[in-house]
Amino acid sequence: MSPDVLQDRFGRRIDYLRLSVTDRCDMRCSYCMPEGFSDYEEPQDWLSFAEIERVVAAFARLGTSRFRITGGEPLLRRNLSQLAANLNRLPGVHDLSLSTNGTQLARHAAALKAAGVSRLNVSLDSLCAERVLDITRRDALAQIQDGLLVAQSCGFAPIKINMVVMGGVNEDEVDNMAEYCFRHGFVLRLIETMPMGNTGRNAGYVDLQPIRQRLQARFGLVDGVVRGGGPARYLVSPDGDFSIGFITPLSQHFCETCNRVRLSVEGTLYLCLGQEHQFALRPLLRAGISDAELDAAIRSAIELKPERHEFREQPGKIIRVMSKTGG
Ligand code: SAM
Ligand code: SF4
């Protein structure tokens, strides 16, 4: 491996950076943000677009080629497609994707596509309007579905639907959601709740392994691989037309192949979702460090990446909610 490639102490190559461009959101998903949440970063502490671009350029110099814009709800950050276009032009950026809750997608899909965003993940936990309202505290199902259709018509394909499966909330909708995704050509990804903050801990964890076995038998699926699949393990239909991914950080963790780190809106690198290891880049950026010093700082940060999360062993450890880290 070239000495320029970022590698952690456990021999894992870090080639994926998730960028949170805001910690704010127009939803309050029960497993993510507490209902009255207002503990936001101050705007003067947000990395500017120029600062984000500098960090992305540095990661790209160090061999990271895949970047995902996330949040909070990234489409709330003003002029986001301008940022996407700027990032996409940087040398070494080969794959730029976005995660969104879909509420603003219809308005932004065309501009995001034109800016070079290549892949979209959209969160959708239910196809029942009342449940969407209960889960997200926003009556947004119609808006999200509209956003999905507009994004498809703009050429995003395949769009991935992220569904967090919760006991007693939407567990009974998994098959309906699979059929909906199959009909529309979406890739479905089922996610186990992670114990991040009290919201994550109280969300009704469900082990996805039995659901996986049931769906495999029902739809005649086989093990497969999907582009940009990340930690998800996929089942695909024999003709390859339909896939379901399973993100199972608790029932079958994937830490040994973890290839990613996260940059929060205020410029802190989080080395693991389930640990506190972090490295603040903003003070260095604002102190005027050189590109070589920035590269060295990123290498030092990667040295801090822990071997694995301890969601099972220490479920009470992480008080940070997902929207803060950039899930
Ligand atoms: N707002 C965007 C969205 O909802 O897609 C992007 C940010 S959101 C934090 C990214 C992903 O994290 C979503 O798919 C969401 O379902 C997931 N998520 C948030 N809290 C979670 C938790 N406690 N356990 C598992 N997934 C969680
Ligand atoms: Fe907002 Fe996404 Fe968190 Fe839901 S999961 S509250 S949409 S950041």
Side-chain angles (χ1 to χ4, degrees):
M1 201 177 286
S2 133
D4 284 344
V5 162
L6 272 181
Q7 203 177 341
D8 76 0
R9 290 176 295 143
F10 305 98
R12 295 172 295 196
R13 184 177 169 181
I14 308 303
D15 60 6
Y16 183 40
L17 176 66
R18 295 177 73 103
L19 300 160
S20 173
V21 293
T22 180
D23 57 349
R24 291 164 197 241
C25 191
D26 53 352
M27 285 186 162
R28 291 287 179 277
C29 298
S30 54
Y31 45 78
C32 183
M33 269 198 194
E35 193 149 15
F37 188 82
S38 60
D39 186 18
Y40 298 117
E41 298 298 333
E42 295 299 330
Q44 68 268 19
D45 293 338
W46 300 352
L47 291 194
S48 65
F49 283 3
E51 288 168 331
I52 295 173
E53 285 160 35
R54 222 183 142 206
V55 175
V56 169
F59 268 90
R61 274 197 298 279
L62 296 169
T64 298
S65 60
R66 300 173 55 210
F67 298 85
R68 175 173 294 273
I69 299 171
T70 179
E73 175 44 44
L75 297 182
L76 297 187
R77 179 93 185 236
R78 205 168 303 145
N79 299 326
L80 185 76
S81 20
Q82 186 57 55
L83 174 68
N86 296 349
L87 296 179
N88 202 42
R89 274 196 291 270
L90 292 171
V93 173
H94 296 311
D95 181 47
L96 184 65
S97 55
L98 178 102
S99 288
T100 174
N101 64 23
T103 59
Q104 318 285 318
L105 189 53
R107 268 200 305 136
H108 294 291
L112 292 168
K113 185 75 186 162
V117 172
S118 55
R119 294 182 299 113
L120 273 187
N121 288 6
V122 179
S123 288
L124 183 61
D125 299 324
S126 172
L127 293 170
C128 162
E130 278 168 33
R131 280 192 183 176
V132 170
L133 172 61
D134 277 353
I135 297 168
T136 69
R137 284 121 189 174
R138 192 167 161 162
D139 186 10
L141 178 63
Q143 246 175 319
I144 300 167
Q145 288 184 311
D146 186 34
L148 283 166
L149 296 182
V150 172
Q152 243 177 353
S153 71
C154 292
F156 285 105
I159 296 171
K160 293 184 183 142
I161 303 279
N162 283 343
M163 175 183 189
V164 176
V165 181
M166 292 165 281
V169 178
N170 64 350
E171 194 184 359
D172 59 345
E173 270 197 78
V174 167
D175 292 53
N176 274 355
M177 191 65 92
E179 279 163 14
Y180 169 80
C181 289
F182 182 47
R183 261 199 325 277
H184 289 275
F186 303 135
V187 171
L188 175 61
R189 306 194 326 154
L190 302 177
I191 304 178
E192 287 179 351
T193 59
M194 291 173 234
M196 300 190 63
N198 287 331
T199 43
R201 276 185 278 284
N202 298 331
Y205 169 75
V206 174
D207 179 341
L208 287 180
Q209 302 305 331
I211 293 180
R212 183 181 200 279
Q213 284 161 16
R214 187 170 52 71
L215 291 173
Q216 179 160 23
R218 168 156 183 207
F219 293 100
L221 305 172
V222 294
D223 287 332
V225 176
V226 165
R227 180 176 159 243
R233 292 180 171 88
Y234 280 92
L235 290 175
V236 299
S237 58
D239 58 9
D241 280 355
F242 178 52
S243 332
I244 307 183
F246 297 82
I247 301 183
T248 56
L250 275 87
S251 67
Q252 195 180 18
H253 76 75
F254 33 79
C255 301
E256 64 284 352
T257 56
C258 183
N259 64 345
R260 61 200 55 204
V261 295
R262 294 171 166 83
L263 181 69
S264 66
V265 65
E266 87 290 6
T268 298
L269 280 174
Y270 284 93
L271 286 315
C272 172
L273 263 187
Q275 299 284 6
E276 292 295 354
H277 304 70
Q278 54 190 270
F279 191 104
L281 289 178
R282 188 185 77 234
L284 306 178
L285 292 167
R286 296 198 179 165
I289 56 167
S290 68
D291 283 352
E293 286 165 331
L294 179 56
D295 294 359
I298 290 171
R299 284 191 187 284
S300 313
I302 299 300
E303 285 290 301
L304 302 176
K305 188 169 168 64
E307 187 170 14
R308 49 167 301 198
H309 67 66
E310 294 166 301
F311 283 145
R312 259 188 190 288
E313 299 83 346
Q314 298 198 59
K317 187 169 184 174
I318 300 299
I319 53 169
R320 205 172 66 231
V321 294
M322 187 75 96
S323 56
K324 157 119 184 112
T325 319

